[in-house]
Amino acid sequence: MTPSRNPAGGFFPPELAARLRERFPQVRDAAEAAREALEAFEREQEERQRRYQEEVERAKAEGKPAPRPPRKEEPAVPRYRTPTFEVPREVFREVMEFLRDDPAFRMDYLSFVSAIDWKDRMECTYHLWSTVHNHELLVKVPVDRDNPRIPTVSDLWRTAEWHERETYDLFGVVYEGHPDLRRILLTEDWKGHPLRKDYVYEDPDWLVELARVRQSEISGVQPPLGERG
Amino acid sequence: MPGLLQRTAEAVQGLVTGLGVTFQNLTRPKVTLLYPLEKSNVSPRWHGLLALPVDTETGNDRCIICFQCERICPSRCIHIEATGKGKERVLTRFDIEMDKCQYCGLCVEVCPTEAIVFIPHYEASTYNRANLLYTLEDLHRAAPKEPVARGILR
Amino acid sequence: MRSLRTEELILNMGPQHPSTHGVLRLLVTLDGENIVEVQPDIGYLHSSVEKMMEHRNYTQNIALADRGMDYLAALVNEMAILRAAETLADVPVPERARYIRTIFMELQRLASHLLWLGTYGIDLGAFTAFLWCMRERELIMDLFEATTGGRLHHVYFRLGGVNEDLPPGWTDRCREFCHYFLNRLDEYHRLLTGNPIWQARTQGVGVLTREQAIAFGACGPVARASGLQWDVRKSHPYEGYDRVDFRIPVYTEGDCYARYLVRMDEMRESTRIILQCLDQMPDGEVRAPRVPLNLKVPPGEVYTRVESPRGDLGVHLVSTGGETPWRVKIRAPSFVNLHALTEMMKGWKVADIIAILGSIDIVLADVDR
Ligand code: SF4
Ligand code: SF4
């Protein structure tokens, strides 16, 4: 079933996708809502195109210059070039366990855990891949942006331990049940989560102050650079 | 006794093999360079220092002040200011912070008049960071501000 | 006889240590000579490249990917960003450019593996290997310099192709280098592979089983040395990789020696790929016309990956239709391999720390991004 040349974004067999939707009605609902929104958008686009054509013909008949074509609009529903499923938070753990353990899926390799900040909402992303069947899947879980919490998957895939620490560090997502949730890239005393869209990345006062304190600590041990003999 | 003999033979064999490699390398061409005394030749596409070459006839550079290089620079290290209108527009400031520059060459690529170019010079280090701010004159002169490796040998 | 009182000792290695290959701090908990636990402390080189990319357009991001990520494989990083952007925007790439990209990525792999072999040699006390590897790497650097103008940071690939065509005579130089290099590779094998000291330091040390490798998400040569037959160049072919014939070296031992052998074999395969590409490369354009530098990528999401010398380098690109990406997630191979290191080191002796750490070939700029 696997195509000889995997598309760049990866491949997920449609019959497995159908099985997943069947097994978890919540996943199906989310997928259907997205599909309906996209279809509605496409219908609307067609409608606009048709109206535009009519206008063009009317203008031609009346000898007026043709009106300007409608602006190309982009759908609010994103287009996924990697097979993607939106999974509600309530069934998230169940879905992940199912994906990992079911022999037809066997998604035993977790590529990364991350998040996307959409300014008004937040999504946690997980990329799964099967070393057995070579199919892959992106799982997205919407979470509350002001208080992002989601159960950990580090007991299912050990690699998630560090990825979740990184996402906690950069996005502030709290993984419930994680054995050791600390900052990993930034220092312990860092404030804020830099990859969130509202993070102010000019030097904040506390950082300037901290740098000054550190500098004076160091210069207490060594004379400042210019004065070394 | 035969054990010792054999071990000796092995040691001698190892020594001979090792020396063989040594002598082989004696005859191979040298691959190193005595750096401050000899300089290596860089390719014509070398991403070295940036310069605004001056046309010898008109005594001016070719910049048409289109700000494209300033906009494309990923490090945001080019700063251009100009006064005047139309044909009379003149550059009042063309600074490149060479310490921020990552020698990516995007500014050279977008320049429509080839006013900004790379020169094959790779010794840009100085003793003072302030020297790495290249102003319009420096870019016209197209040479590093401070001779490098001062006081080393000769 | 009274038993000696023992207690665990915490050894702090780094952040500036010649064998950590960058600013990495290892907190090693020791019980006598034995390693109980290793906790890497990373982030010293964190430059938040993902955040910076959100503020720059795709062409500028190529330059960022060069520097902000794995600095030993700059061209592969460029390809990672480009593959995501080009997939999302459906940018056509001329055939010749695809081959040129393949050649350069393989040269980059050679250069990276050579540097790894040299420094690993120093870690284990084989100084000659370092000098020899640097000698060959210099030739690759010269090949790069002649075409891209840079030795480490190239900014050579562009959306829809490459910046400039190859200079005249370059293909002959490259072919000459490949044949020269195949001979040198045999020399390395004679120097190291059968060397009893080398074997004693690496064989059976730092074993990672296949199950552990999958659980820890290990990738690249580390996973292939543990028996996971997986290479993005085969499973998701990009550029010219589905048109050349090459083999993925796989070993099942999972120790440092197997990782060494995987990389040695990979170098031979890379040379073969380059030679095949040089033969097959057609003439023609190297850059698709009418791809603007500030390309607007249509909204959508994609996760693409490329095989960097260190493993599976993935980019999750989220675009909302602007000139700049909305979110770029870089899945760095060194990051996951460093996590696997904590498992690999358990139970080994202090003296093996360097041998195991060196064998996973981390680049700290890649770990911290
Ligand atoms: S080479 Fe790159 S970084 Fe340097 S000034 Fe030009 S655009 Fe900016
Ligand atoms: S792109 Fe060229 S012409 Fe335009 S401002 Fe820069 S140097 Fe001048």
Side-chain angles (χ1 to χ4, degrees):
Chain A
M1 192 51 230
T2 318
S4 61
R5 187 184 164 133
N6 250 337
F11 172 76
F12 194 70
E15 66 272 9
L16 284 188
R19 246 192 84 190
L20 187 67
R21 279 197 292 268
E22 205 179 297
R23 173 92 207 283
F24 296 99
Q26 291 98 325
V27 176
R28 187 193 58 210
D29 293 347
E32 233 142 62
R35 212 193 58 228
E36 268 164 26
L38 192 64
E39 271 171 12
F41 173 80
E42 267 164 15
R43 269 200 304 278
E44 195 190 316
Q45 287 292 310
E46 265 170 34
E47 176 68 24
R48 287 174 67 146
Q49 195 62 31
R50 205 172 47 76
R51 248 184 286 141
Y52 167 67
Q53 284 299 339
E54 279 175 17
E55 263 177 50
V56 169
E57 261 150 43
R58 210 174 322 128
K60 225 195 228 162
E62 291 170 14
K64 277 195 226 144
R68 290 176 54 189
R71 264 206 20 228
K72 236 184 115 210
E73 291 211 1
E74 299 297 353
V77 193
R79 291 198 185 92
Y80 299 122
R81 301 296 293 264
T82 298
T84 304
F85 272 103
E86 198 168 295
V87 176
R89 198 176 162 282
E90 299 80 54
V91 285
F92 164 67
R93 275 290 301 209
E94 249 178 273
V95 172
M96 291 307 248
E97 270 168 39
F98 174 72
L99 285 175
R100 192 187 71 146
D101 296 330
D102 192 273
F105 289 87
R106 288 295 302 142
M107 319 281 278
D108 49 1
Y109 191 99
L110 180 73
S111 291
F112 70 84
V113 176
S114 184
I116 309 171
D117 184 5
W118 290 103
K119 276 196 175 148
D120 49 347
R121 66 209 154 91
M122 197 149 174
E123 276 169 343
C124 288
T125 50
Y126 298 81
H127 183 266
L128 298 175
W129 175 69
S130 166
T131 56
V132 186
H133 307 296
N134 194 13
H135 51 228
E136 58 192 274
L137 191 62
L138 201 70
V139 174
K140 298 178 93 182
V141 190
V143 290
D144 179 15
R145 184 167 181 277
D146 300 320
N147 182 21
R149 302 184 82 83
I150 192 164
T152 180
V153 291
S154 57
D155 49 338
L156 303 178
W157 294 274
R158 281 292 299 275
T159 176
E161 253 170 53
W162 274 33
H163 286 295
E164 286 179 351
R165 274 177 72 186
E166 187 191 332
T167 315
Y168 164 71
D169 192 354
L170 302 178
F171 281 95
V173 180
V174 176
Y175 291 90
E176 290 160 353
H178 189 285
D180 180 24
L181 198 63
R182 285 180 293 132
R183 287 186 180 271
I184 187 167
L185 292 173
L186 305 177
T187 51
E188 288 292 326
D189 46 7
W190 197 269
K191 292 198 179 63
H193 302 285
L195 280 187
R196 294 177 78 117
K197 291 280 173 184
D198 52 6
Y199 181 76
V200 185
Y201 67 109
E202 274 83 41
D203 287 351
D205 289 341
W206 66 266
L207 186 61
V208 175
E209 178 58 23
L210 195 70
R212 203 189 54 73
V213 171
R214 293 263 163 90
Q215 205 67 55
S216 64
E217 277 170 18
I218 298 169
S219 55
V221 186
Q222 277 179 343
L225 251 184
E227 295 161 26
R228 276 183 215 162
Chain B
M1 257 304 129
L4 183 65
L5 266 183
Q6 198 191 342
R7 288 220 307 275
T8 317
E10 268 172 15
V12 169
Q13 195 204 353
L15 194 67
V16 168
T17 322
L19 280 177
V21 175
T22 311
F23 281 115
Q24 246 180 30
N25 277 304
L26 274 183
T27 58
R28 282 186 188 159
K30 191 174 64 145
V31 293
T32 49
L33 206 65
L34 268 180
Y35 165 60
L37 299 178
E38 300 168 40
K39 312 264 167 176
S40 72
N41 287 325
V42 292
S43 86
R45 293 185 184 178
W46 177 252
H47 288 190
L49 287 177
L50 289 163
L52 297 180
V54 180
D55 200 333
T56 39
E57 281 170 24
T58 59
N60 219 333
D61 55 52
R62 282 194 292 253
C63 178
I64 54 168
I65 321 176
C66 63
F67 298 105
Q68 284 201 54
C69 51
E70 189 181 18
R71 234 175 299 139
I72 195 86
C73 180
S75 312
R76 319 241 162 105
C77 64
I78 303 182
H79 307 282
I80 305 176
E81 278 163 21
T83 51
K85 278 255 169 331
K87 284 254 184 295
E88 269 94 64
R89 213 140 71 119
V90 282
L91 276 174
T92 52
R93 176 177 180 218
F94 197 115
D95 290 354
I96 302 186
E97 295 172 60
M98 271 308 190
D99 48 351
K100 272 198 203 167
C101 171
Q102 52 169 295
Y103 304 93
C104 65
L106 290 177
C107 52
V108 177
E109 188 186 331
V110 294
C111 181
T113 56
E114 294 181 18
I116 185 164
V117 295
F118 279 125
I119 52 172
H121 203 297
Y122 52 90
E123 295 162 315
S125 48
T126 75
Y127 289 102
N128 189 346
R129 192 178 286 179
N131 279 342
L132 286 171
L133 178 72
Y134 278 55
T135 59
L136 192 55
E137 287 86 68
D138 302 315
L139 292 168
H140 279 163
R141 205 173 55 217
K145 275 191 173 176
E146 196 178 341
V148 282
R150 243 183 345 185
I152 305 178
L153 299 163
R154 280 195 281 186
Chain C
M1 213 175 117
R2 262 191 312 144
S3 65
L4 287 173
R5 195 176 65 91
T6 61
E7 67 182 46
E8 286 179 353
L9 171 85
I10 292 187
L11 180 73
N12 187 20
M13 207 180 127
Q16 281 152 6
H17 187 279
S19 290
T20 53
H21 304 291
V23 265
L24 164 71
R25 180 162 155 244
L26 291 177
L27 277 171
V28 191
T29 312
L30 293 174
D31 176 13
E33 280 263 310
N34 299 321
I35 304 167
V36 179
E37 198 195 355
V38 176
Q39 274 201 23
D41 179 11
I42 60 175
Y44 292 93
L45 275 179
H46 180 58
S47 56
S48 207
V49 108
E50 294 173 7
K51 184 83 178 177
M52 288 207 278
M53 282 186 176
E54 289 171 11
H55 295 273
R56 283 160 175 79
N57 68 29
Y58 291 90
T59 306
Q60 293 171 331
N61 278 345
I62 301 172
L64 270 191
D66 246 23
R67 316 216 108 199
M69 293 152 67
D70 181 356
Y71 46 77
L72 291 182
L75 285 163
V76 185
N77 297 345
E78 291 175 18
M79 189 65 228
I81 297 289
L82 281 179
R83 191 172 188 213
E86 283 176 357
T87 312
L88 215 48
D90 288 318
V91 178
V93 180
E95 206 59 3
R96 185 175 170 85
R98 286 194 187 278
Y99 278 101
I100 293 178
R101 283 181 181 182
T102 315
I103 293 171
F104 273 86
M105 278 187 286
E106 288 311 310
L107 281 175
Q108 187 79 76
R109 191 181 316 277
L110 284 182
S112 172
H113 281 356
L114 278 173
L115 189 81
W116 166 80
L117 184 61
T119 49
Y120 195 43
I122 289 200
D123 287 349
L124 299 187
F127 199 80
T128 316
F130 177 71
L131 295 176
W132 285 8
C133 290
M134 282 297 152
R135 181 184 64 194
E136 267 72 79
R137 187 167 175 271
E138 199 60 23
L139 296 174
I140 302 180
M141 293 287 133
D142 285 346
L143 286 176
F144 281 152
E145 187 192 312
T147 312
T148 69
R151 292 164 75 82
L152 275 175
H153 303 297
H154 313 280
V155 199
Y156 180 53
F157 297 169
R158 293 287 189 280
L159 287 158
V162 297
N163 186 14
E164 285 173 285
D165 204 349
L166 304 170
W170 191 89
T171 43
D172 295 331
R173 263 177 79 189
C174 187
R175 199 169 277 133
E176 199 182 313
F177 164 77
C178 288
H179 292 302
Y180 164 81
F181 182 68
L182 285 177
N183 287 337
R184 291 288 86 80
L185 211 50
D186 294 335
E187 210 172 56
Y188 298 158
H189 272 297
R190 282 206 301 279
L191 179 70
L192 296 173
T193 309
N195 187 329
I197 303 174
W198 188 267
Q199 288 181 353
R201 292 287 317 260
T202 54
Q203 267 179 354
V205 174
V207 177
L208 189 76
T209 63
R210 189 174 188 276
E211 286 67 41
Q212 282 170 340
I214 292 175
F216 277 92
C219 53
V222 177
R224 288 197 279 278
S226 298
L228 181 61
Q229 177 149 21
W230 168 43
D231 191 313
V232 182
R233 291 174 291 172
K234 279 268 196 244
S235 70
H236 301 67
Y238 49 104
E239 305 312 338
Y241 285 118
D242 50 350
R243 278 162 262 179
V244 292
D245 164 49
F246 66 102
R247 198 174 62 81
I248 313 172
V250 178
Y251 289 81
T252 48
E253 290 86 356
D255 56 358
C256 296
Y257 192 63
R259 278 170 226 138
Y260 156 77
L261 287 178
V262 166
R263 293 204 179 89
M264 291 298 267
D265 291 0
E266 256 178 30
M267 286 203 258
R268 191 174 297 278
E269 295 303 317
S270 292
T271 323
R272 275 184 58 212
I273 295 177
I274 296 170
L275 282 172
Q276 289 177 48
C277 283
L278 286 172
D279 290 339
Q280 294 179 10
M281 190 161 62
D283 284 339
E285 283 288 305
V286 293
R287 197 163 170 180
R290 290 194 298 280
V291 179
L293 281 176
N294 55 351
L295 178 79
K296 284 206 173 76
V297 169
E301 290 179 25
V302 72
Y303 177 71
T304 56
R305 26 191 178 178
V306 296
E307 184 75 19
S308 108
R310 268 151 281 283
D312 166 14
L313 173 63
V315 169
H316 181 209
L317 180 70
V318 181
S319 167
T320 49
E323 279 179 17
T324 58
W326 180 262
R327 164 106 176 93
V328 185
K329 159 75 192 169
I330 298 157
R331 190 259 187 196
S334 301
F335 184 78
V336 281
N337 285 348
L338 188 62
H339 187 203
L341 179 86
T342 55
E343 186 66 29
M344 271 182 237
M345 281 215 185
K346 277 190 190 140
W348 293 95
K349 300 260 188 270
V350 185
D352 296 322
I353 294 181
I354 298 301
I356 302 173
L357 176 64
S359 76
I360 63 169
D361 186 19
I362 45 165
V363 166
L364 266 297
D366 197 23
V367 175
D368 300 342
R369 302 182 301 293

